[in-house]
Amino acid sequence: MSATTLLSLIAAAVIALGLSAYMYGFKSRLNPRLRWILGILRFMTLLTLGVLLVNPKIKKETYTTQKPALNILVDNSSSLENLDRVSLATNLSNALNTDTELMERFDITAYQFDQSFGPLSDLNYQGVTTNIADGLTGLETIYGDQNAVTVLLSDGNQTLGRDYASLASRLKNPVFPMVMGDTTQFEDLRITRLNANRYAYQDNEFPVELSLGYTGTGAVNSVLIIRKGNQVVKRQPVSFDTQANAQTLQVLLKADQVGIQTYTAELQSLSNERNTSNNRQQFAVEVIDQSTRVAVITTIQHPDLGALKKSITTLKQREVEVMEPAQAVGNLDDYQLVILYQPDSRFAAVYQELNELKKNRWTITGLQTDWNFLNDVQLKYAKIGAGGEDQVSAETNRNYPIFAMDPVDFSSYPPLITQFGSLDVFVPYDEILSQTISGIFTESPMLFSFEADGVREAVWDAQDLWRWRAHNFIETRGFDQFDDLVANMVQYLSSNKRRSRLNVSYESFYYSNAQIGIQAQYFNENYQFDPEASLNLTYTATDGTSQRLPMLLKNNYYQANLDGLAAGVYDVTVTVDGQGIARSGQFTILDFSEEEQLLTPDVLKLTALAANTQGSVFYEDQLEEIKSALITDDRFVPVQKSRQNVVPLISLKFLLGLLGLLLAIEWFTRKYNGLI
């Protein structure tokens, strides 16, 4: 308390005493007892009021003890079940989480991870993939600025995500891995990776790339066998030793039958090999009898052409040829879709042949488009008075009814370039992208589609599409958003299949560790998407068991998730309640588990993780050792923190209550004695 405040309080006490003495001492005619009572009450009232007016500040200091955080991070993937470490991992987790000595030293919290990361709730060891990096970065987000330590219970085998050993240098808190599994090295052959295209053309050869590995102390020979059903289609001898313990092979297989062809690649096991599950992998290829051929016709050179070609050929069964109008005339019937890039009068013969063939088309316009020619050669849309340059942005129509599309926010993408003028459409159309300028909607669509006279057509009134593909990569490190939009348009425009009120989409085959999603769109009689419909999906396995589940609305389509189904062939039917409309199909799930491929813990990576984070590595039988290391480590000691609160006296409500109480007692005393 400052000297000024102290002198002010003394002055307030002197003034209160003087006024009380003056009022009830010198001039009062009351009896002495009453004078003393009223005088003391008045003194206390004036003193309280004076203290409140001076309003001194009271400092209050509190002390708290902050313990370091101990995070128990448990691997919940199926690899621990394959290693027969389920009970041990659960017991170790419980022992660390409930140890009294650790609880005195740390604030303990338990977490789990497999393909995702979260608080420990129910360890079932059924995770289909292991993402250790996700668990470590999740803890870093929560505890990065605190004194914390992580105990990692895992075999160290990661099948998804970034390399956690290289990530360790960015972690602020140490990690103490406990290695789960038998670290004894046995002779082992394995297929570490298999890459194959999803599609192949009939009567063509398609490549299959296999990465093979060997662990052991001597030289061994084996044979790689690839079967289709019971038929051996490829046999190749392979050799390994301690120096050449890995190799990559590429084999060519013949696509001789249309449809889904399932293959099995297998390395013949060694006589003393304990783990043979990683010697075998299934894969599948869908053989199609023809590809989708797309012709891009243009008279100019522009980066858009390369961007479109890259996007369209993302699926290998699509071919793109860029040509001038003179080359295209007479050959258009060889293509399922024709893209007209910035047409001008040199396209006259192309339009004549397209109309004769009733060929689907996609027109992309820009600054070099001759709109006078385009307005004359077709009568479905027009831009009057086109000229000059305009920068336009796009807004996605989330209810586009033609195909299911995730609602990508293209409004954040760079503006595109178009010719100034209003684009009018004279036929019923569906708008995918709306044109905006400075965030204001114009009357013109940017990208739209329509069907007229048995022909499907789309128009994209903008150029510099390559900027969108580049922006997509900068933002997401991939091209998926732009490529999916282009691919969906190509798929729709290259088909002449009659439009249906119920469309169902799914892959022809899935791997058992992948997400399995069935999507559907339902339209009313006017072919408008109906978000109020009730769609149900029924799937039936080869053994006759079936299950029915509702499809949930997501954006402009319905979706059902079938993750976790066993390997096999499934018939699927989607129905619309009350409409008598249904669509059926079939898909295959191939048996594949990355978690079964590695049955030896990755001690090297776990050791590197511990070293890079200044932690220590322990083994599954070293519970007491890791407890002792945590308790005796000087980095993890509780810290006592003080906190000083400065409170103005006027904020203390009891002083205001005391002032009111004193005034009330004085008033009552005077009233009782007839002085009021």
Side-chain angles (χ1 to χ4, degrees), residues 311-339:
S311 297
I312 295 170
T313 56
T314 300
L315 286 181
K316 301 299 182 183
Q317 72 268 36
R318 292 176 180 159
E319 299 177 5
V320 176
E321 293 185 42
V322 181
M323 61 188 73
E324 294 185 355
Q327 297 174 282
V329 173
N331 299 312
L332 294 180
D333 203 26
D334 297 334
Y335 301 91
Q336 284 72 48
L337 173 63
V338 176
I339 297 179

Side-chain angles (χ1 to χ4, degrees), residues 504-508 510 516-520 536-541 545-549 551 560 562 565 569-575 582-588:
V504 181
S505 60
Y506 52 88
E507 298 287 348
S508 54
Y510 302 88
I516 303 173
I518 310 295
Q519 296 178 349
N536 294 282
L537 180 145
T538 302
Y539 63 88
T540 305
T545 59
S546 63
Q547 186 171 343
R548 186 173 186 264
L549 65 156
M551 301 190 74
L562 302 181
L565 288 181
V569 179
Y570 291 85
D571 295 315
V572 61
T573 301
V574 175
T575 57
R583 290 289 179 271
S584 298
Q586 189 180 81
F587 63 87
T588 302

